[in-house]
Amino acid sequence: MTTSSDEITTDLDEATAKFVALENYRRLATSLSKNDGTKAITLTFQDLWSAAIHPEQNIDLIAAIQRDRQHARRFDALLRSMAVFSQPAQAAAASDNMDKRTGEQFDLELKPSSRQDGAYFLIIRMHNLVKTIPQHLYYCHNNSYHFLSLSPVHNGVSQVMVGESNSIIDAFNDPAAEFFIK
Amino acid sequence: MTLPSLWIATTRGPVEIVSITEEDPEIRSVLCLSDSFQELPISPLYDAFVRRPTGLIEQITGHSSYRVDLSGPITQGQSWQLGLAVTHLFHAEAQLNSFSLPNALVWTTGKVTPRGIVQPVGKIVEKWKMTIAELANKTTKLDQIIVIAHATNIAEVQKLEPMGSSQPKIIYLPASSLNDIATYFELSVGNTLRAPAKRSPRVFKGYIVAGLLGLIGIATAMKLASDFVMPLSRLDTEGRYRELFMELRLMRQEGNWLDVNGAFFFQKNLENRADRLRKNMHVEIRSLQGKNTTCASHKATITTSTLPEWVHAACQLQLTLGNRSDRPIGIWIALVSHGTTGSPTVILRNHAALPPGQTVTLPKFIMEKSNTIKTVIAIASIMPDSELLSWFNTLINDVHPADHMISRIEKSGSGFLFAQATGTQK
């Protein structure tokens, strides 16, 4: 094949290689767009760390982590290692609903608002002081982690206002749930 | 129970109090957005505004925890305090008596101190403009707007809204305290506000108890100090310095915090006294002009550790002692000649008990012409000097007194003077 000197020349092998590369890229993009979240995704430790430090900004990431058993196990190990205080599962209570969960390191108390509009106040009483300011209360309920931002701690007490639909209400009443503070 | 409509002015538009609810005292007071369960970040400040000991609201209502739902967010500042304080006044009144302000809107801005004093705030122009804009959107009919703020802020609003020109009618309520507001609305809770100012008998009782406790505290401290100082003072007064030093050392080494510090300050007191005595002890040496022409008339006050060289001349010398303090002192003085070998020659050794301001001139003496070191040593004391005398005698025999000897005299609270003239051959 003869061409003029100012045209780009490409031989057949090079064109074939470029075509294959483009086809692979198209297939990959199609595959990713069709991913329903059930397939394994690759996450670095940095991703897990970001999710643990800033859970409010990484809601989708946390959901993705918890869909994958392997990532969920790594995330669980990371969160447990980050806990400043922890409260293990409670002994099974006689009544269905608890109003207080006590632990060696902190207690939790759930009080409904007198306005009876579905608002609850979760009172967290820490037994010891820590050097760092606690940022989150998080809990493992039904093999899934959930986070609540803590209000400023005053005299070892923090308080969070939640609605009755918040998952912490169920977790609070489930003796098997575990709570942590970091 | 329906409360009057109340707006809290903010620079982002007025915020309406939607509801107020008494909560369990274990719950911290919260401000939240109506129907959202979203607590506002300033809730801890509101809790401090409500709850004793810093809080004002609990003082008025007797309850320590509230949830207040607001129509919009309040993010910073303290101008919300007046609006919430008024809300609590209305709420407390409504619980006792029927209280309402039909077709009225209460507009508030201002800070409130823990004693219920209303203070002015800033950005009134912005707040009022936002209020006017919001009023235009309000569909319900208003007969009047009651503007509650500090007189300074009221004046600012009045500049923007000339009297009588607006609809609905604006009523201005300049408030210097919550009392003014309670009086205007004829609230029975106003009695609670006035009560602290009158200082109830209970408060007086508290003051009396506090006063008695204070007196007991002072008496105990004085007794402790007395018990502590008395033995040391006694040893000092009797001139028993060895025992005094031993006592102070024991206190420093084996005593408690009070003993250690007490010993330190007592020792400082003795050292200061020594310094004062040293300054108030006046020692003057004179060379008298005689028939011998080599002897000229000289005079020197000994203030440093050096004697004038003319003391080596074989002339007639005379020492004068003076007491410049306001209390009697005793001065031991000696002039000694130390040769290179042998024992020192005591040329003069004398004692003078001087009343305040008095001076005494000691007998004249003739100094032999020699190259020996001449030393003047003087010790001034206001206490018995039996122990000092033995130290004095030791010192005058030593041409170079040991530092610890000098230190011992100064630590006993005695003034010490030491001056030397080395040989004429120098």
Side-chain angles (χ1 to χ4, degrees):
Chain A
M1 185 169 63
T2 304
T3 59
S4 59
S5 61
D6 56 346
E7 286 182 336
I8 299 169
T9 58
T10 306
D11 61 20
L12 186 59
D13 290 343
E14 195 177 346
T16 305
K18 282 186 177 175
F19 175 79
V20 170
L22 282 168
E23 182 60 16
N24 282 344
Y25 180 80
R26 188 189 63 77
R27 283 182 182 177
L28 185 63
T30 308
S31 171
L32 285 171
S33 65
K34 286 180 180 175
N35 190 348
D36 59 359
T38 55
K39 292 178 183 172
I41 51 167
T42 304
L43 291 175
T44 62
F45 180 76
Q46 181 63 39
D47 294 325
L48 299 179
W49 180 261
S50 297
I53 295 292
H54 305 293
E56 306 89 351
Q57 299 160 23
N58 293 289
I59 295 166
D60 293 338
L61 179 58
I62 290 171
I65 290 168
Q66 302 198 130
R67 275 197 297 268
D68 184 288
R69 189 180 298 171
Q70 193 181 349
H71 292 321
R73 199 163 52 240
R74 289 170 64 202
F75 195 48
D76 173 87
L78 175 64
L79 287 174
R80 284 174 189 277
S81 72
M82 291 173 84
V84 179
F85 298 132
S86 58
Q87 190 188 91
Q90 305 274 293
S95 59
D96 288 342
N97 289 330
M98 295 186 278
D99 60 354
K100 198 169 185 179
R101 292 178 68 110
T102 55
E104 285 186 11
Q105 297 177 326
F106 65 93
D107 298 340
L108 295 173
E109 195 169 359
L110 195 62
K111 284 182 175 287
S113 170
S114 305
R115 202 176 173 207
Q116 296 181 324
D117 60 346
Y120 281 84
F121 295 99
L122 181 69
I123 303 168
I124 303 115
R125 292 191 178 85
M126 283 161 250
H127 302 169
N128 299 303
L129 296 176
V130 285
K131 288 178 184 173
T132 53
I133 300 167
Q135 300 290 328
H136 295 104
L137 171 80
Y138 55 106
Y139 50 99
C140 181
H141 182 228
N142 294 337
N143 296 319
S144 171
Y145 277 94
H146 306 269
F147 296 80
L148 271 182
S149 292
L150 289 176
S151 66
V153 180
H154 184 62
N155 290 335
V157 178
S158 179
Q159 180 179 292
V160 183
M161 188 180 187
V162 293
E164 60 190 342
S165 59
N166 194 301
S167 65
I168 199 166
I169 307 290
D170 288 338
F172 185 91
N173 290 315
D174 180 2
E178 295 173 88
F179 287 80
F180 308 89
I181 289 172
K182 70 171 175 65
Chain B
M1 182 171 62
T2 307
L3 290 177
S5 293
L6 191 143
W7 283 7
I8 295 171
T10 79
T11 52
R12 297 168 70 181
V15 170
E16 186 168 7
I17 307 276
V18 176
S19 69
I20 177 166
T21 313
E22 283 188 4
E23 294 288 1
D24 185 322
E26 283 194 49
I27 295 170
R28 294 201 311 219
S29 295
V30 291
L31 296 176
C32 61
L33 289 180
S34 180
D35 300 326
S36 76
F37 311 134
Q38 189 183 338
E39 189 176 334
L40 296 182
I42 60 164
S43 288
L45 298 176
Y46 172 59
D47 185 58
F49 184 66
V50 170
R51 196 181 293 269
R52 284 175 186 268
T54 52
L56 167 71
I57 304 305
E58 190 183 351
Q59 292 176 42
I60 298 169
T61 65
H63 192 73
S64 61
S65 179
Y66 292 90
R67 167 186 163 188
V68 176
D69 286 39
L70 302 172
S71 65
I74 299 173
T75 52
Q76 58 182 345
Q78 293 170 300
S79 61
W80 49 267
Q81 290 177 340
L82 181 60
L84 281 163
V86 173
T87 300
H88 280 287
L89 287 179
F90 289 169
H91 180 250
E93 185 68 19
Q95 285 182 316
L96 297 172
N97 312 300
S98 59
F99 178 76
S100 64
L101 298 168
N103 300 327
L105 171 71
V106 179
W107 185 93
T108 62
T109 189
K111 289 191 284 186
V112 184
T113 70
R115 296 185 69 83
I117 306 300
V118 177
Q119 294 180 332
V121 291
K123 299 184 177 174
I124 292 297
V125 176
E126 289 171 68
K127 288 175 182 173
W128 188 253
K129 282 180 179 171
M130 294 301 287
T131 299
I132 295 300
E134 189 64 28
L135 279 171
N137 298 331
K138 199 167 172 64
T139 51
T140 51
K141 184 177 172 287
L142 285 176
D143 290 338
Q144 58 179 7
I145 299 171
I146 304 169
V147 174
I148 306 176
H150 188 270
T152 312
N153 292 150
I154 291 277
E156 290 177 78
V157 175
Q158 282 173 333
K159 277 184 194 170
L160 300 166
E161 205 69 38
M163 291 286 279
S165 66
S166 62
Q167 278 296 329
K169 186 183 171 190
I170 299 178
I171 296 168
Y172 295 102
L173 173 51
S176 59
S177 70
L178 293 186
N179 237 335
D180 295 343
I181 298 161
T183 306
Y184 178 84
F185 290 106
E186 298 177 342
L187 304 177
S188 57
V189 288
N191 299 330
T192 323
L193 287 168
R194 282 182 281 274
K198 288 182 180 174
R199 289 188 182 170
S200 64
R202 196 174 163 186
V203 173
F204 278 117
K205 199 174 170 184
Y207 283 141
I208 290 166
V209 171
L212 280 173
L213 285 173
L215 285 173
I216 290 167
I218 291 167
T220 308
M222 287 177 72
K223 177 77 169 62
L224 276 171
S226 166
D227 290 348
F228 166 77
V229 170
M230 280 300 282
L232 299 177
S233 279
R234 190 178 179 87
L235 292 174
D236 179 37
T237 308
E238 295 178 0
R240 294 156 63 184
Y241 297 117
R242 285 193 182 87
E243 290 169 78
L244 177 63
F245 293 162
M246 196 179 293
E247 188 70 22
L248 288 171
R249 191 169 61 246
L250 275 173
M251 286 168 72
R252 277 197 301 268
Q253 290 173 351
E254 295 174 21
N256 57 28
W257 180 88
L258 191 68
D259 291 334
V260 172
N261 286 282
F264 173 80
F265 285 112
F266 196 89
Q267 186 65 67
K268 278 286 166 202
N269 176 49
L270 291 177
E271 286 173 15
N272 288 339
R273 190 175 82 195
D275 192 48
R276 284 196 304 276
L277 280 171
R278 167 70 183 83
K279 286 172 183 162
N280 290 328
M281 173 171 56
H282 177 73
V283 180
E284 190 181 278
I285 187 165
R286 284 197 297 165
S287 172
L288 305 173
Q289 192 169 13
K291 293 173 184 174
N292 186 343
T293 51
T294 57
C295 290
S297 177
H298 296 286
K299 187 168 78 173
T301 299
I302 303 171
T303 53
T304 65
S305 59
T306 310
L307 287 175
E309 287 301 317
W310 46 259
V311 298
H312 293 294
C315 298
Q316 197 173 38
L317 301 179
Q318 192 169 37
L319 284 166
T320 301
L321 305 177
N323 175 9
R324 291 176 173 171
S325 75
D326 55 357
R327 57 195 302 182
I329 60 173
I331 301 176
W332 277 102
I333 190 160
L335 198 156
V336 188
S337 170
H338 294 277
T340 48
T341 56
S343 57
T345 307
V346 179
I347 301 163
L348 175 139
R349 182 177 176 278
N350 221 321
H351 178 262
L354 298 174
Q358 201 168 83
T359 303
V360 64
T361 303
L362 300 180
K364 297 168 192 168
F365 57 94
I366 295 176
M367 187 68 81
E368 286 182 7
K369 190 175 177 67
S370 68
N371 294 333
T372 56
I373 296 170
K374 309 291 187 303
T375 306
V376 168
I377 296 171
I379 295 177
S381 174
I382 55 171
M383 300 299 178
D385 53 13
S386 56
E387 283 190 15
L388 282 177
L389 185 58
S390 66
W391 296 345
F392 179 72
N393 291 334
T394 307
L395 278 173
I396 62 177
N397 287 318
D398 195 348
V399 66
H400 298 297
D403 287 343
H404 74 270
M405 285 296 295
I406 297 169
S407 171
R408 183 189 290 174
I409 291 168
E410 287 170 343
K411 282 182 175 175
S412 72
S414 307
F416 179 68
L417 184 145
F418 181 85
Q420 278 187 332
T422 51
T424 51
Q425 291 169 340
K426 182 183 173 185

